[in-house]
Amino acid sequence: MLPAGVVILVSGLYLGLLFLLAFVTERRVRSGSARFIASPLVYTLSLAVYCTSWTFYGAVGSASRNGLEFLTIYLGPTIVFVGWWLLLRKLVRISRTQNITSIADFISARYGKSAAISALVTLMAVIGSIPYISLQLKAITASYEVLVGTSATGGAGSSAGIVTDTGFWVTASMAAFVILFGTRNLGADQRHPGVVAAIAFESVIKLLSFAAVGLFALYGLSDGFGDLFSRVRETPELSHLYSFPDGFEPRWVATLFLAGIAAICLPRQFQVTVVENSDERHLATASWLFPLYLMLISLFVLPIAAVGLTALPAGANTDLYVLTVPLSAGREDLALLAFIGGLSAATSMVIVASLALSIMISNHLVAPLLLRSPYFTSPEAGNFSGTLLLTRRLSIVAILVLGFLYYRGTDTGSPLASIGLISFAGVAQFAPALIGGVYWKQATKAGALCGLVAGFVFWAYTLLAPTLAEAGWALEELVTQGLGGVALLRPDALFGLEGWDPLVHGLFWSMSANVAAFVVVSLVTRPTPIESLQSALFVNALQLGETRAEVALQRSATVKDLFRLAQRILGAERSYQIFRDYARRQGREDHLPAPDPPLVAYVERQLASSVGAASARSLVSGIAKGETISLDALIGILDETQQAIRTSRALERKSRELQETATQLRAANAQLKALDKMKDDFLSRVSHELRTPMTSIRSFAEILSDMHNQGPSLDSEQAGRFLKIIHLESERLTRLLDEILDLSRMESGEATLRQDRLDAAAIARIAVETMEGLAKQSGVELEIDLGSQPIWVIGDGDRLKQVFVNLLSNAIKYHRPEEASPETAPKDEALEGKGQENSRSTRKAWITQGTSQDGLVELQVCDNGPGIPEGHRDKIFSKFARAWNEDGGEPRSGSGLGLPISRQIVEHLGGQLRLDNTGPEGSVFVVRLRRTATIAAQ
């Protein structure tokens, strides 16, 4: 145990350090030298105000009793922040454009700036938060008593005086801190850098102190994870630490839902997450850094719980294992550090919660009443800003006094986690109106009011009433017998739902009633014009500009009246700055802006930052005239939203088109690479074809030269044979060069072909006769089946002969020598009906006539060879293509330009050349030529 004086001194020094940190931060921010406060790291650490004494002490207690259920309290916020793009970004954007001051102000502004909704939400928030604030005082007091070894000094029935109660002094310290650093400025939308810095610092202390106890449990009292949990596994009664009980799913779902909603709807969380956010981009950092913080602090929960259950006597308070584990090992220093961590967890929650609630009370409960009194509405009324600041300070004191009185007046003995979950369920009633309001345009003020009332009533009846009855309040008869003695109306078994977990039971009825009333009433009621405007602004907040609302409301007021109103609420200096800045926006050189509807809306927004949206609208409505909603402006807002949607869809379409274009470019690139390779093969083949005759010519010329130099020994017969070879190779070289030149001229359009009337059948017969010698050498039979009548076409006889010769030459050269037996040879459907016998034992090539149509005559050059492989069919007419049977074998002779030249010739004659059919049964090339009128034979 530690002396009370030491604990009090250390605690006092710690709280003094918080005061000093907040003071220095405020000074540096005013001088412009504290940019670190606006960093995403400080913003994320301030979010850790979520980790109160419940998570610091109660998480270990929850794990000791219910095993892994404690994880849901960390997983809920993790899910919300990982998906920040869906909801949090929208809340921050709306709050910035609407000058939102609190969650009550947010919901009120969405539903037509309703004063009734803001007042109701404020009351619900205060009632739901008071037990939570008392929980912090309870945790601090209990931990202090354990540390110093004293008896209880607080709680119901305690005989100890208030002055001797630890909770009293903590309450007084927190009140002083919040008043000093949370109510310096009237503008509630203005940041509170001193408070944020203190909360961020406390978040670091919480994590370090909790980790220190966890590491001590693991490595000071055990030999690491393995040793500790092997001891746990050997103890059957501790199996709940790492297993799931039967029927755990409903409670897990309920606590996971509550933790996620609380990360948004708790007044303190809304304050730090939304109102204190200085840059929307900080959410991106918080989306991974805040879950990381929660993961780190949760790592040590089970080790501390396991050591507490194995090393401490049965019956010890599991909620205080964080203190009693180091105390039992004689480590008072570590226990004192843990106490400071718990103090940080509790005080950070009390500071932010009381700040947020005081803003809500002053803006939505007190200010509307004061602004209706004759004292503040008379023309002689003075500055209201001082009164409003005083109201906020008194509200802070009132909130903390209520929390202290609740702590003193109740002695439930309930675990910390149970009290925390009840508060979570209370603020969860804001979720339908909040989330529905930013995504559902049809939601109305009447629906939101009915939903909030229904949810709050069912929450108070099914969850709060049993807790108060357990605390000794006169509600035992209601809980045991039901409302009016009706058993079906018992709070813990409403309408006969017996055997449910109390939390699941209360959450089910409260949220069901809330959502049902919200949806049904919204569907049967019509929104007012101001509700419709706010609905469009909230639901479409991510697509609209910040000033669209200023032109939608058509109101008029004099600059003098507007300035006088702003001066009364905001003070002379700030009002002067507001009007001067707006005049500059209008391009006016004096300090008085021109009166127009946007100015009225702008002044209302500035007032809303101090007194809330509902009170600001009420104040402006008192001096503004002719308030109407401009239909054109409202349509403009909707058009702007639709335009944003169309732009988004256009971007998606463009993205798809770019993807398709990229795919096409990749295919084209692959094709270009293939063509490049084909070009290289072509050049290599042409080089080979040129080199072969040139080598022969050179070789025989050198022989003749040598023989001539040797004198009369030259054999004239042998010389003649050599000269003939040189002549033939020269002709071969000339043909190759002619082919290349022909193709080049045709592609460039420089070639001139005659357009004579000629007999295509006669030209085909000449081509067959020309190729008979090569066919016999290759063992291929050539046939022609064109009938006895001429086939008159328009063309160039020599060129057309070249086409048929090229096609027949390919059919002969690329006919494989292997023969198939007649029994196994496949049939060629292209030859059926033409009198041709198809058998691989007879290798054939032939010309036949096809079907003439569209003024074209069709001739077919066929063979019963092996066909063209599928990968080569699209490339055979390319001048860079290799012969289709060269893969894996020796290259054939020739340049491979026959088919490309033939197609160019036929197309220049106005016809077509294509591969019509190919396969294992053979190939069919179709030549289509322009037909002329038939001329009778002479």
Side-chain angles (χ1 to χ4, degrees):
M1 303 303 171
L2 288 171
V6 173
V7 177
I8 293 173
L9 177 62
V10 173
S11 302
L13 290 175
Y14 175 74
L15 294 177
L17 178 62
L18 290 183
F19 275 79
L20 179 61
L21 175 62
F23 176 76
V24 172
T25 302
E26 293 272 0
R27 290 280 301 271
R28 295 193 63 183
V29 167
R30 284 198 295 270
S31 64
S33 58
R35 295 182 180 179
F36 71 94
I37 291 297
S39 68
L41 176 61
V42 173
Y43 172 72
T44 303
L45 288 174
S46 69
L47 297 176
V49 70
Y50 176 84
C51 298
T52 66
S53 62
W54 168 16
T55 52
F56 191 87
Y57 293 122
V60 176
S62 177
S64 301
R65 294 183 297 272
N66 305 316
L68 298 176
E69 183 185 300
F70 79 95
L71 288 174
T72 58
I73 304 304
Y74 301 100
L75 290 175
T78 297
I79 295 172
V80 170
F81 273 85
V82 167
W84 68 277
W85 196 258
L86 298 175
L87 179 60
L88 293 179
R89 180 172 67 114
K90 200 169 190 178
L91 296 181
V92 170
R93 180 79 59 84
I94 293 170
S95 297
R96 187 182 68 246
T97 57
Q98 297 281 324
N99 281 12
I100 296 300
T101 63
S102 64
I103 189 170
D105 196 28
F106 189 100
I107 299 175
S108 167
R110 163 59 179 87
Y111 298 102
K113 303 179 181 179
S114 167
I117 286 184
S118 61
L120 177 61
V121 172
T122 299
L123 288 173
M124 292 173 61
V126 171
I127 295 173
S129 299
I130 292 302
Y132 208 169
I133 293 174
S134 73
L135 181 152
Q136 313 307 313
L137 301 178
K138 174 183 177 180
I140 294 174
T141 303
S143 59
Y144 171 79
E145 292 164 356
V146 167
L147 202 58
V148 302
T150 62
S151 59
T153 58
S158 174
S159 59
I162 291 179
V163 177
T164 60
D165 193 336
T166 306
F168 171 78
W169 293 107
V170 172
T171 302
S173 300
M174 293 304 96
F177 185 93
V178 181
I179 288 172
L180 284 175
F181 299 103
T183 59
R184 284 176 171 268
N185 302 307
L186 182 62
D189 67 318
Q190 296 182 8
R191 313 294 176 249
H192 302 87
V195 174
V196 170
I199 301 306
F201 175 74
E202 289 195 296
S203 297
V204 176
I205 297 300
K206 284 185 290 188
L207 179 60
L208 294 179
S209 60
F210 195 78
V213 177
L215 292 173
F216 175 71
L218 280 171
Y219 300 103
L221 301 177
S222 306
D223 193 17
F225 275 99
D227 172 60
L228 177 59
F229 286 100
S230 64
R231 285 188 284 145
V232 171
R233 286 194 298 270
E234 294 171 358
T235 310
E237 56 268 24
L238 299 183
S239 61
H240 67 281
L241 283 177
Y242 52 86
S243 61
F244 300 97
D246 294 336
F248 74 95
E249 294 91 346
R251 185 172 174 88
W252 266 61
V253 171
T255 52
L256 189 66
F257 169 78
L258 287 177
I261 291 297
I264 304 171
C265 293
L266 278 171
R268 72 172 190 275
Q269 290 303 130
F270 191 91
Q271 180 73 29
V272 295
T273 304
V274 178
V275 178
E276 298 291 342
N277 181 279
S278 59
D279 190 335
E280 191 177 300
R281 293 171 296 181
H282 291 175
L283 287 171
T285 302
S287 67
W288 62 267
L289 188 55
F290 182 50
L292 177 62
Y293 181 96
L294 296 178
M295 183 195 74
L296 291 176
I297 205 169
S298 66
L299 285 177
F300 303 102
V301 172
L302 282 179
I304 298 173
V307 169
L309 290 172
T310 56
L312 297 180
N317 188 345
T318 57
D319 282 336
L320 297 177
Y321 276 175
V322 178
L323 289 175
T324 53
V325 164
L327 281 176
S328 65
R331 290 297 304 272
E332 287 84 0
D333 55 340
L334 190 57
L336 181 59
L337 177 62
F339 173 76
I340 295 300
L343 183 65
S344 297
T347 54
S348 61
M349 180 273 169
V350 173
I351 289 170
V352 181
S354 58
L355 173 62
L357 292 175
S358 70
I359 293 173
M360 294 165 66
I361 291 173
S362 65
N363 286 0
H364 307 300
L365 294 181
V366 179
L369 296 177
L370 293 179
L371 292 173
R372 289 190 182 96
S373 66
Y375 176 78
F376 291 102
T377 56
S378 65
E380 296 79 15
N383 194 333
F384 185 67
S385 58
T387 304
L388 199 57
L389 280 176
L390 177 61
T391 302
R392 285 192 188 151
R393 290 163 181 165
L394 293 176
S395 299
I396 291 171
V397 174
I399 292 165
L400 293 176
V401 167
L402 287 174
F404 178 72
L405 292 178
Y406 187 92
Y407 150 74
R408 290 279 299 185
T410 58
D411 187 17
T412 64
S414 299
L416 299 179
S418 299
I419 301 174
L421 286 172
I422 291 173
S423 288
F424 275 18
V427 298
Q429 305 310 314
F430 302 148
L434 177 73
I435 300 175
V438 298
Y439 287 107
W440 188 32
K441 288 183 179 179
Q442 284 70 37
T444 65
K445 177 179 71 174
L449 273 172
C450 291
L452 288 168
V453 171
F456 180 73
V457 168
F458 275 84
W459 167 78
Y461 188 72
T462 59
L463 287 173
L464 186 60
T467 302
L468 295 177
E470 183 184 352
W473 291 37
L475 295 172
E476 292 185 6
E477 184 177 346
L478 173 68
V479 173
T480 57
Q481 300 180 15
L483 186 66
V486 180
L488 285 176
L489 299 181
R490 283 168 41 212
D492 59 347
L494 193 61
F495 303 125
L497 287 183
E498 298 275 358
W500 284 36
D501 180 270
L503 177 67
V504 176
H505 174 268
L507 181 63
F508 169 78
W509 282 117
S510 60
M511 291 305 297
S512 297
N514 191 330
V515 173
F518 173 62
V519 173
V520 171
V521 176
S522 292
L523 290 175
V524 300
T525 55
R526 293 174 62 88
T528 62
I530 186 66
E531 286 182 63
S532 299
L533 174 61
Q534 291 298 103
S535 170
L537 294 174
F538 273 61
V539 175
N540 305 317
L542 298 180
Q543 290 83 33
L544 297 175
E546 296 188 9
T547 61
R548 293 297 299 174
E550 297 181 356
V551 298
L553 273 174
Q554 298 298 304
R555 295 175 292 183
S556 62
T558 66
V559 176
K560 180 180 179 181
D561 289 341
L562 289 172
F563 184 80
R564 184 185 295 116
L565 176 61
Q567 187 178 20
R568 285 176 52 203
I569 304 300
L570 306 176
E573 182 178 352
R574 187 178 173 199
S575 299
Y576 173 78
Q577 182 180 359
I578 289 171
F579 278 74
R580 181 197 60 193
D581 293 345
Y582 195 86
R584 289 177 178 174
R585 285 171 52 184
Q586 291 181 331
R588 298 172 64 92
E589 297 187 5
D590 57 6
H591 296 166
L592 289 179
D596 55 15
L599 174 62
V600 179
Y602 181 73
V603 172
E604 181 179 324
R605 286 172 53 200
Q606 300 305 313
L607 295 177
S609 69
S610 295
V611 297
S615 296
R617 182 170 185 270
S618 176
L619 289 169
V620 172
S621 298
I623 62 172
K625 300 177 182 178
E627 177 174 300
T628 59
I629 302 295
S630 169
L631 182 60
D632 291 339
L634 190 56
I635 292 175
I637 291 174
L638 298 177
D639 287 345
E640 189 174 329
T641 304
Q642 293 301 319
Q643 180 62 37
I645 294 173
R646 286 194 294 269
T647 301
S648 177
R649 291 174 179 171
L651 289 174
E652 292 177 1
R653 185 171 61 254
K654 286 292 184 183
S655 177
R656 289 194 298 269
E657 291 175 356
L658 287 174
Q659 290 177 354
E660 293 173 0
T661 303
T663 302
Q664 295 171 358
L665 288 174
R666 283 193 291 270
N669 185 51
Q671 186 176 5
L672 287 174
K673 289 181 178 179
L675 288 173
D676 186 63
K677 187 176 186 301
M678 291 165 60
K679 178 200 68 175
D680 292 341
D681 293 342
F682 168 75
L683 293 175
S684 175
R685 186 166 59 252
V686 169
S687 299
H688 172 75
E689 293 296 329
L690 290 172
R691 187 182 300 111
T692 300
M694 290 178 67
T695 301
S696 298
I697 293 171
R698 178 180 178 183
S699 298
F700 285 106
E702 289 177 351
I703 292 173
L704 290 173
S705 177
D706 292 341
M707 295 175 67
H708 174 73
N709 293 332
Q710 292 174 3
S713 60
L714 177 64
D715 186 348
S716 60
E717 182 179 352
Q718 188 178 24
R721 184 169 62 86
F722 289 169
L723 288 172
K724 184 177 181 181
I725 293 174
I726 291 173
H727 178 72
L728 292 175
E729 291 298 318
S730 299
E731 289 181 341
R732 178 182 171 190
L733 181 61
T734 301
R735 284 196 305 272
L736 178 60
L737 293 174
D738 287 343
E739 286 181 348
I740 298 173
L741 292 174
D742 282 349
L743 183 60
S744 177
R745 285 197 296 268
M746 289 182 186
E747 288 181 338
S748 63
E750 297 176 358
T752 303
L753 274 65
R754 295 194 304 276
Q755 302 289 326
D756 300 332
R757 180 181 289 111
L758 49 84
D759 181 4
I763 300 297
R765 292 188 186 95
I766 295 173
V768 169
E769 292 172 358
T770 303
M771 300 304 298
E772 281 183 351
L774 178 63
K776 287 181 180 180
Q777 293 177 6
S778 303
V780 177
E781 292 185 7
L782 291 183
E783 296 181 1
I784 186 166
D785 182 18
L786 296 178
S788 59
Q789 297 295 323
I791 302 174
W792 297 103
V793 299
I794 296 175
D796 184 319
D798 292 337
R799 293 294 190 180
L800 189 56
K801 175 188 173 184
Q802 183 181 357
V803 171
F804 288 125
V805 167
N806 284 337
L807 293 174
L808 290 171
S809 175
N810 285 339
I812 294 169
K813 287 191 297 182
Y814 300 128
H815 217 309
R816 290 179 179 172
E818 299 87 14
E819 295 184 353
S821 65
E823 294 79 9
T824 61
K827 298 295 182 182
D828 188 348
E829 296 179 0
L831 304 180
E832 292 181 1
K834 299 184 184 298
Q836 300 295 338
E837 179 184 0
N838 177 38
S839 173
R840 288 298 175 85
S841 61
T842 303
R843 297 159 57 197
K844 293 182 179 181
W846 63 95
I847 301 178
T848 185
Q849 186 172 0
T851 303
S852 300
Q853 58 184 356
D854 299 330
L856 296 175
V857 172
E858 183 175 290
L859 286 82
Q860 299 177 351
V861 180
C862 313
D863 65 68
N864 63 349
I868 301 172
E870 184 175 355
H872 292 264
R873 294 171 189 174
D874 296 333
K875 302 182 292 185
I876 58 174
F877 290 105
S878 170
K879 64 181 177 181
F880 298 139
R882 299 195 314 171
W884 54 82
N885 64 343
E886 289 184 4
D887 291 346
E890 293 296 328
R892 300 276 180 159
S893 63
S895 64
L897 295 175
L899 286 178
I901 292 175
S902 298
R903 168 171 277 187
Q904 290 288 338
I905 291 172
V906 174
E907 290 180 351
H908 273 70
L909 294 175
Q912 301 170 358
L913 172 60
R914 70 175 188 271
L915 175 64
D916 189 63
N917 185 32
T918 187
E921 295 81 16
S923 302
V924 178
F925 284 86
V926 173
V927 180
R928 305 185 75 190
L929 301 167
R930 286 187 296 163
R931 179 171 54 190
T932 65
T934 303
I935 301 176
Q938 298 296 325

